[in-house]
């Protein structure tokens, strides 16, 4: 349907789109420029303060109006809108995250019809509600350049800005809209409930049928078809003859028993295959209206058992907190997902970007992503791809870093949101756990928003929202999955403590979020123990190549420029980066390439900090103490400093390349103690043990490729485990400022395990590191699907953090940020572009760390 977007207060009238949004349509019409350029996040803010209308015309035939029911179905409206059809009101919306269905037959006519949406400013709506139901905090920090009262509106919270992103409080019809005509009933949603007992899988399918306001009785035949192994299909059917509920729905339940020989288990990425089976549901209506009418739904389901185990820990205080999949305790490696675009209608339909990000997660051994509570419930496509790629989803409900109101109108709004989204997503095998909110328990206990004087009031509202409203809905629709009231929290212990624990960061329970910008982030000894690290991170800047997407003004390329300050939303963010950088790296502010190096060194600092912290958590896997590491954050929404490992546009930072190693299934991981001893761990995330293996330790000085000392140590470790193998004394290795150590595993059956290096002193204090001479040459490899090239690297001395770029060629290196310890190294570059080796050769450039 073609629509017109208009601003009634002015003469603006431009083509509108469905799905779409006001910022997208105004940009397409040339009214505003690229919203992510320069200061446009502030300069276009006027858009979100006004009332906007979307008006469209469509035709209806006489045959359409012969149907008993005509429904206007809106999959997503952002957010507060009044809807008219042919001048008559048909309904209103006030929640971005729900599907709306309005019976509109009485308002339709044969021929041309007019549909009009009048959108209220989300900022003004939130402000008006805040006057009536004020809930802390009032506003985001000034540094965010954002808007106030996001907690009053059921809209993407980050659209009012965040410490990693800009404010674009859009309006629009961001998901599809359609008219449905039928006589009887249609299948609106379904859920699947799977259990395994002995050698049999038990599948319960619950189907929700929906009809119109005038129909109070549904008759028909419901059939479920499940494809299984051996090209076989299992069918079960049921005759339906039921009166509807008040809202015009009924729920029908069907059960299947399936022999385990007909099913292959679904596994997370890295642990097995992702077997999925087609589920087809048909409902054939019987009645006096016409011939049989058929409605159907299709989905793919996976068979797996999943349990979040919280039981008394042996030998130590507290409760365990780990995911057991198909009977095995699995350490969850992964990251946190924020919206793929700050404008949801673009993020929703940009499946290439979703694919690229999820494939990047898969290719770095991630098995879980946490869909963070300030974003959106992602598209059906997103969860389907997670199913296919084996990426489990920790799904937050969309409440983040705030107290929220608990008035009847708000709670009723939330009820509809939770019910709709749990019903929509429940059947996906990738959904691992539901969490009520992001950081709201710890915010209340920690007095983040000066709520201490009204602690009891806010605690009561917290319990009313997350415990009394959300929890029963989730547990009724999806009893087989754990609902965590908050993240971080102490899990079951928080519940026993009345839902607001005395210390929600207790390392002996639940999950934690940990950020420390003051201590040395390369030092593993600073990190506290945790059962499950669901957030941790450190900032870096995006590459200059990515920055150029937002500004070509050379004066902006300074740390203290107005532009750089505008893009940094984290208080003291640049100072923290600088502080960490100066602990380990040498960077002179008088260097003519200071900014270029600052950007590059910030990515080194981030990558090394995340390496240190992640390996600490993986080392702590012994006895199932720590069983998850989800760093903050996977992706970005604009070209700015952030915690991401992947820049806006898809370019990998050094962090994401490092993740490929620090999340490797088998890893030798050293930890230097405060007394200059080195404890060496072997981590094994496979189902088979490692035995009769050797860990080779090479001691290098900075002047030669030939190690000054080489020694091998026997190593072994059980499946799905971490174990300390031996301890080294660095004082035996020589002067610490002249050496570094390299660790390599040799084990039968282990195809690939990355080497690992340990630097005993800050790199800026090393002696002997020289400036290298580099030669790069390119050869084409044989490959039928994509173009692959070998980049041959020749050096004359040891090189730290060698970073390769391919200019404007779209593609990626299989490894980057290299620690070069031999004269010649080959790296693969992959691209879908049809280019010759000399094209890549001419595009290559590089950086490295130098003292």
């Amino acid at each position: 349907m073609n629509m017109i977007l208009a601003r009634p207060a002015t003469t603006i009238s431009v083509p509108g789109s469905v799905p779409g949004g006001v910022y997208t349509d105004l940009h397409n019409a040339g009214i505003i420029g690229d919203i992510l350029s320069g200061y446009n996040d502030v300069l276009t803010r006027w858009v979100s303060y006004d009332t906007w209308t979307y008006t469209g015309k469509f035709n209806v035939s006489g045959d359409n109006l012969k149907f008993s029911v005509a429904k206007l179905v809106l999959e997503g409206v952002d957010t507060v809108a009044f809807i008219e059809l042919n001048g008559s009101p048909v309904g209103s919306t006030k929640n971005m995250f729900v599907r709306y269905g309005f019976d509109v037959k009485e308002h339709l006519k044969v021929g041309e019809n007019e549909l009009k949406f009048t959108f209220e400013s989300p900022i003004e709506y939130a402000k008006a509600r805040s006057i009536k139901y004020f809930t802390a905090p009032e506003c985001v920090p000034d540094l965010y350049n954002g808007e106030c009262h996001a907690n009053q509106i059921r809209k993407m919270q980050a659209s009012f800005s965040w410490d990693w992103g800009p404010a674009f409080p859009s309006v629009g019809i961001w998901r599809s809209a359609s008219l449905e005509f039928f006589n009887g009933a249609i299948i609106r949603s379904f859920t699947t409930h799977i259990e395994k007992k002995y050698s049999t899988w038990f599948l319960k399918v619950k189907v929700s049928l929906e009809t119109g306001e005038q129909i109070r009785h549904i008759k028909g035949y419901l059939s479920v078809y499940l494809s299984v192994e051996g090209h076989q299909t299992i069918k079960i059917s049921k005759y339906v003859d039921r009166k509807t509920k008040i809202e015009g729905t009924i729920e029908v339940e069907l059960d299947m028993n399936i022999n385990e020989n007909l099913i292959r288990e679904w596994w997370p990425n890295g642990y097995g295959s992702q077997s999925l089976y087609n589920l087809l549901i048909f409902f054939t209506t019987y009645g006096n209206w016409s011939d049989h009418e058929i409605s159907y739904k299709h989905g793919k389901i996976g068979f797996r058992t999943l349990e979040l185990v919280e039981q008394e820990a042996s030998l130590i205080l507290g409760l365990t907190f780990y995911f057991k999949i198909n009977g095995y305790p699995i350490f969850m490696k992964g990251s946190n997902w924020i919206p793929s675009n700050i404008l949801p209608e673009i993020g929703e339909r940009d499946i290439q970007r979703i694919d690229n990000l999820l494939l990047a997660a898969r290719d770095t051994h991630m098995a879980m992503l946490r869909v963070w509570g300030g974003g959106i419930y992602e598209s059906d496509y997103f969860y389907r791809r997670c199913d296919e790629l084996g990426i489990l989803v920790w799904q937050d409900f969309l409440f983040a870093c705030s107290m929220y109101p608990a008035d009847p109108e708000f709670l009723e709004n939330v009820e509809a949101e939770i019910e709709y989204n749990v019903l929509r997503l429940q059947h996906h095998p990738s959904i691992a756990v539901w969490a009520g909110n992001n950081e709201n328990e710890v915010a209340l206990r920690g007095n983040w928003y000066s709520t201490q004087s009204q602690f009891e009031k806010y605690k009561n509202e917290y319990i009313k929202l997350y415990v009394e409203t959300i929890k029963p809905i989730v547990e009724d629709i999806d009893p087989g999955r754990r609902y965590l009231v908050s993240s971080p929290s102490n899990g079951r212990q928080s519940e026993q403590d009345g839902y607001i624990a005395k210390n929600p960061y207790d390392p002996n329970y639940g999950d934690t979020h940990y950020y420390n910008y003051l201590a040395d982030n390369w030092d593993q000894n600073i990190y506290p123990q945790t059962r499950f690290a669901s957030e941790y991170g450190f900032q870096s800047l995006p590459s200059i190549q990515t920055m150029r997407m937002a500004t070509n003004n050379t004066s902006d390329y300074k740390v203290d420029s107005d532009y750089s300050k505008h893009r940094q939303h984290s208080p003291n963010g640049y100072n923290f980066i600088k502080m960490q950088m100066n602990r380990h790296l040498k960077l002179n502010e008088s260097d003519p390439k200071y900014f270029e190096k600052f950007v590059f060194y910030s990515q080194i600092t981030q990558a090394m900090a995340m390496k240190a912290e992640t390996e600490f958590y993986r080392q702590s896997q012994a006895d199932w103490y720590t069983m998850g590491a989800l760093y903050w954050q996977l992706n970005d929404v604009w070209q700015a400093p952030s915690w991401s490992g992947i820049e806006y546009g898809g370019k990998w930072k050094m962090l994401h390349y490092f993740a490929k190693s620090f999340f490797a299934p088998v890893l030798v991981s050293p930890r230097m103690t405060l007394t200059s001893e080195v404890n060496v761990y072997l981590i094994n995330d496979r189902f088979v043990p490692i035995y009769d293996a050797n860990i080779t330790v090479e001691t290098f000085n900075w002047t030669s490729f030939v190690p000054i000392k080489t020694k091998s140590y026997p190593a072994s470790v059980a499946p799905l485990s971490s174990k300390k193998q031996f301890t080294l004394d660095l004082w035996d290795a020589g002067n610490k400022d002249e050496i570094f150590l390299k660790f390599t595993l040799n084990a039968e059956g282990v195809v690939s395990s990355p080497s690992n290096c340990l630097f005993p002193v800050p790199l800026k204090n090393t002696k002997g590191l020289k400036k290298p001479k580099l030669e790069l040459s390119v050869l084409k490899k044989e490959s039928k699907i994509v173009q692959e090239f070998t980049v041959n690297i020749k050096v004359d001395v040891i090189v730290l953090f060698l970073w390769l770029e391919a200019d404007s060629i779209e593609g990626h290196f299989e490894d980057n940020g290299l620690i070069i310890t031999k004269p010649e190294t080959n790296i693969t570059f992959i691209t879908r572009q049809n280019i010759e080796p000399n094209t890549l050769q001419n595009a290559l450039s590089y950086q490295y760390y130098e003292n």
Side-chain angles (χ1 to χ4, degrees):
M1 177 172 57
N2 295 323
M3 303 199 85
I4 297 295
L5 167 66
R7 186 185 183 199
T10 68
T11 57
I12 293 178
S13 180
V14 300
S17 54
V18 178
V22 61
Y23 281 98
T24 304
D25 291 332
L26 291 174
H27 174 64
N28 291 341
I31 302 295
I32 60 175
D34 178 359
I35 63 170
L36 299 185
S37 287
Y39 300 86
N40 280 351
D41 59 312
V42 171
L43 296 178
T44 61
R45 191 67 52 79
W46 58 270
V47 171
S48 56
Y49 273 87
D50 238 324
T51 296
W52 293 90
T53 61
Y54 276 89
T55 306
K57 294 183 179 179
F58 60 93
N59 289 312
V60 170
S61 70
D63 288 341
N64 292 142
L65 293 183
K66 291 177 183 177
F67 285 91
S68 301
V69 181
K71 277 205 169 178
L72 173 65
V73 178
L74 307 170
E75 299 291 344
V77 180
D78 183 11
T79 296
V80 182
F82 178 68
I83 306 165
E84 298 168 273
L85 179 56
N86 295 325
S88 298
V90 296
S92 61
T93 66
K94 56 184 177 181
N95 192 315
M96 175 183 173
F97 309 120
V98 303
R99 176 206 294 124
Y100 287 91
F102 301 106
D103 281 284
V104 294
K105 183 176 179 181
E106 63 178 296
H107 303 293
L108 290 171
K109 61 184 181 182
V110 175
E112 188 176 74
N113 292 258
E114 182 182 85
L115 182 64
K116 182 179 181 181
F117 292 76
T118 301
F119 284 92
E120 187 174 345
S121 160
I123 296 171
E124 298 297 345
Y125 172 85
K127 181 179 178 182
R129 266 196 54 91
S130 185
I131 293 170
K132 193 173 181 181
Y133 304 108
F134 174 77
T135 308
E138 183 172 9
C139 297
V140 295
D142 292 343
L143 194 66
Y144 290 14
N145 302 310
E147 296 296 338
C148 302
H149 317 300
N151 54 0
Q152 294 289 341
I153 184 170
R154 293 314 298 146
K155 175 178 174 62
M156 183 170 84
Q157 299 292 273
S159 68
F160 278 52
S161 82
W162 219 263
D163 56 5
W164 43 258
F168 286 103
S170 186
V171 300
I173 307 159
W174 74 288
R175 282 180 170 158
S176 63
S178 61
L179 277 171
E180 294 178 343
F181 297 97
F182 56 92
N183 286 315
I186 60 171
I187 301 169
R188 184 58 79 195
S189 64
F190 70 92
T191 59
T192 57
H193 307 269
I194 297 171
E195 285 186 277
K196 188 178 185 184
K197 295 179 181 177
Y198 304 108
S199 60
T200 303
W201 288 99
F202 294 87
L203 170 65
K204 180 180 293 182
V205 181
K206 290 185 178 180
V207 181
S208 179
L209 300 172
E210 181 182 294
T211 187
E213 293 176 350
Q214 306 305 317
I215 298 174
R216 288 285 173 258
H217 198 166
I218 295 176
K219 289 184 180 181
Y221 201 68
L222 186 67
S223 300
V224 175
Y225 298 81
L226 176 71
S227 65
V228 292
E229 294 298 315
H231 305 288
Q232 299 182 63
T233 300
I234 299 174
K235 176 189 174 184
I236 187 166
S237 301
K238 179 179 284 190
Y239 180 68
V240 177
D241 185 353
R242 298 261 296 275
K243 290 183 179 180
T244 66
K245 299 177 184 177
I246 295 173
E247 66 272 22
T249 64
I250 67 168
E251 191 176 84
V252 184
E253 186 177 299
L254 298 97
D255 296 311
M256 284 185 183
N257 300 344
I258 309 156
N259 188 289
E260 67 176 357
N261 294 328
L262 298 176
I263 294 294
R264 288 184 297 164
E265 289 173 320
W266 184 96
W267 288 95
N269 176 40
Y271 295 91
S273 63
Q274 289 76 50
S275 300
L276 296 168
Y277 298 92
N278 283 309
L279 186 74
L280 285 169
I281 306 171
F282 291 91
F283 180 68
T284 305
T285 302
Y286 291 93
N288 300 320
W289 304 284
S290 63
D291 294 333
H292 301 329
E293 186 177 71
I294 297 176
S295 172
Y296 76 94
K297 278 278 186 184
H298 167 251
K300 289 191 173 184
I301 63 173
F303 287 77
R304 54 109 182 101
T305 63
L306 186 149
E307 180 186 2
L308 178 54
V309 180
E310 296 171 271
Q311 61 188 21
E312 286 191 22
S314 60
L315 304 178
I316 45 179
L317 177 70
L319 301 175
T320 62
F321 190 94
Y322 64 88
F323 290 90
K324 184 185 281 188
I325 317 293
N326 298 325
Y328 290 88
I330 290 179
F331 186 101
M332 287 300 155
K333 299 177 289 192
S335 188
N336 282 256
W337 173 280
I338 64 171
S340 59
N341 197 290
I342 197 63
L343 298 180
E345 71 273 9
I346 295 179
E348 182 85 357
R349 64 176 183 255
D350 191 351
I351 61 173
Q352 187 63 59
R353 179 173 296 183
I354 292 171
D355 258 358
N356 289 343
L357 290 170
L358 292 179
L359 287 168
R362 180 202 65 182
D363 291 347
T364 47
H365 313 294
M366 295 187 189
M368 178 176 277
L369 289 174
R370 176 172 173 257
V371 176
W372 167 77
I376 61 172
Y377 304 99
E378 293 291 336
S379 65
D380 292 337
Y381 181 80
F382 171 88
Y383 297 98
R384 188 167 76 246
R385 288 299 280 147
C386 288
D387 292 344
E388 293 166 353
L389 296 173
I391 298 174
L392 287 163
V393 175
W394 172 309
Q395 179 67 56
D396 280 1
F397 292 119
L398 303 184
F399 306 86
C401 295
S402 187
M403 302 297 100
Y404 283 84
D407 59 275
E409 179 192 32
F410 190 86
L411 294 178
E412 183 182 1
N413 201 358
V414 168
E415 285 174 357
E417 171 188 328
I418 303 302
E419 180 177 345
Y420 168 67
N421 284 288
V422 176
L423 282 170
R424 179 171 74 93
L425 302 177
Q426 186 276 342
H427 71 278
H428 289 281
S430 56
I431 299 288
V433 67
W434 307 102
N437 64 75
N438 172 76
E439 299 186 343
N440 295 347
E441 177 187 347
V442 70
L444 180 55
R445 177 57 74 188
N447 195 33
W448 290 9
Y449 310 121
S450 303
T451 54
Q452 190 58 42
S453 62
Q454 294 181 288
F455 179 83
E456 288 303 320
K457 168 187 177 295
Y458 281 111
K459 178 181 178 180
N460 291 336
E461 290 177 348
Y462 179 97
I463 291 172
K464 187 177 289 187
L465 175 59
Y466 302 113
V467 181
E468 296 174 2
T469 301
I470 295 177
K471 189 171 186 281
I473 297 172
V474 177
E475 293 180 346
D476 177 58
I477 298 172
D478 195 17
R481 282 190 183 92
R482 178 80 164 97
Y483 168 69
L484 298 165
V485 178
S486 186
S487 173
S489 81
N490 294 341
R492 296 211 182 281
Q493 189 60 42
S494 276
E495 295 172 14
Q496 292 174 18
D497 292 343
Y499 298 101
I500 306 293
K502 288 274 196 294
N503 174 21
Y505 285 124
D506 192 321
N508 297 303
Y509 304 92
D511 67 312
T512 57
H513 298 181
Y514 183 76
Y515 298 89
N516 182 343
Y517 308 137
L518 298 175
D520 181 357
N521 280 203
W522 294 31
D523 180 3
Q524 291 178 311
N525 297 295
I526 74 160
Y527 298 110
Q529 288 275 19
T530 180
R531 292 293 184 189
F532 195 104
S534 53
E535 262 197 45
Y536 59 98
F538 192 79
Q539 273 199 334
S540 70
L541 279 72
S543 65
I544 290 178
Q545 180 184 342
T546 295
M547 287 186 203
R548 288 196 189 106
M549 297 165 61
T551 178
N552 287 316
N553 189 342
T554 55
S555 64
D556 291 336
Y557 295 102
K558 298 175 183 175
V559 179
D560 60 353
S561 70
D562 289 342
Y563 172 83
S564 292
K565 291 175 183 176
H566 181 77
R567 293 268 162 159
Q568 175 59 278
H569 286 190
S570 181
N572 293 312
Y574 290 128
N575 288 335
F576 290 139
I577 293 172
K578 198 173 185 179
M579 185 188 309
Q580 291 297 327
M581 200 184 291
N582 287 340
R583 287 181 186 273
H584 288 269
L585 309 176
K586 188 178 289 183
L587 183 55
N588 191 334
E589 292 192 29
S590 62
D591 189 322
K593 292 187 175 182
Y594 176 74
F595 184 74
E596 181 183 336
K597 288 184 177 178
F598 189 96
V599 171
F600 177 50
Y601 288 10
S602 78
Q603 292 204 11
I604 294 174
T605 299
Q606 179 194 39
M608 287 296 288
M610 292 299 92
K611 175 184 184 296
E613 189 165 358
T614 303
E615 290 190 24
F616 170 78
Y617 295 139
R618 294 192 69 192
Q619 292 164 4
S620 305
Q621 188 174 339
D623 300 320
W624 305 339
Y625 192 95
T626 301
M627 287 298 286
L630 312 179
Y631 67 76
W632 185 267
Q633 67 206 63
L634 183 72
N635 53 311
D636 257 340
V637 297
W638 71 334
Q639 315 89 337
S642 86
W643 294 258
S644 78
I646 301 177
E647 299 173 5
Y648 178 78
K651 192 172 188 294
W652 288 17
K653 291 181 178 177
M654 194 178 293
L655 163 58
H656 202 76
Y657 282 105
F658 271 42
K660 201 171 185 179
S661 293
F662 65 60
F663 278 152
V666 178
L667 181 67
V668 180
S669 179
R671 185 197 305 178
M672 190 169 77
T673 69
L674 296 174
T675 58
S676 294
E677 289 184 328
V678 179
N679 293 324
V680 181
Y681 294 81
L682 181 55
I683 301 162
N684 179 22
D685 282 345
R686 308 180 314 155
F687 290 124
V688 294
I690 295 173
Y691 53 88
D692 293 336
N694 286 289
I695 294 173
T696 300
V697 183
E698 297 172 293
T699 305
F700 288 86
N701 66 27
W702 295 102
T703 60
S704 173
F705 291 126
V706 179
I708 59 175
K709 183 180 179 182
T710 301
K711 188 173 181 180
S712 289
Y713 299 83
S716 63
V717 64
L720 304 174
S721 183
S722 167
K723 181 184 176 184
K724 187 172 82 170
Q725 302 294 311
F726 54 89
T727 299
L728 303 174
D729 191 337
L730 270 180
W731 294 110
D732 295 337
N735 294 330
K736 289 192 292 182
D737 55 0
E738 295 178 356
I739 59 144
F740 69 95
L741 276 60
K742 183 177 180 180
F743 301 82
T744 307
L745 177 71
N746 299 293
E748 186 177 347
V750 177
V751 177
S752 175
S753 177
S755 59
N756 210 340
C757 291
L758 183 141
F759 308 119
V761 300
L763 295 175
K764 66 180 182 179
N765 297 333
T766 58
K767 295 178 181 178
L769 185 61
K770 297 178 180 178
K771 188 171 184 177
K773 293 178 182 177
L774 282 94
E775 289 181 25
L776 304 180
S777 57
V778 177
L779 295 172
K780 192 170 184 177
K781 297 173 71 174
E782 289 297 322
S783 179
K784 295 180 180 179
I785 301 174
V786 294
Q787 294 262 61
E788 290 191 6
F789 299 88
T790 296
V791 179
N792 177 260
I793 306 162
K794 292 180 180 176
V795 297
D796 61 339
V797 293
I798 286 166
V799 184
L800 292 179
F801 307 110
L802 177 64
W803 182 257
L804 303 174
E805 295 274 14
D807 195 27
S808 58
I809 298 174
E810 289 185 13
H812 69 275
F813 297 94
E814 284 201 327
D815 199 3
N816 219 336
L818 309 167
I819 309 296
I820 304 286
T821 60
K822 55 186 180 180
E824 194 168 345
T825 304
N826 289 325
I827 296 296
T828 299
F829 180 79
I830 301 169
T831 179
R832 293 189 179 276
Q833 290 182 229
N834 187 17
I835 60 172
E836 294 301 319
N838 66 317
T839 305
L840 178 58
Q841 178 83 50
N842 295 332
L844 286 176
S845 61
Y846 57 82
Q847 287 176 286
Y848 54 84
Y849 172 71
E850 54 185 321
N851 272 338

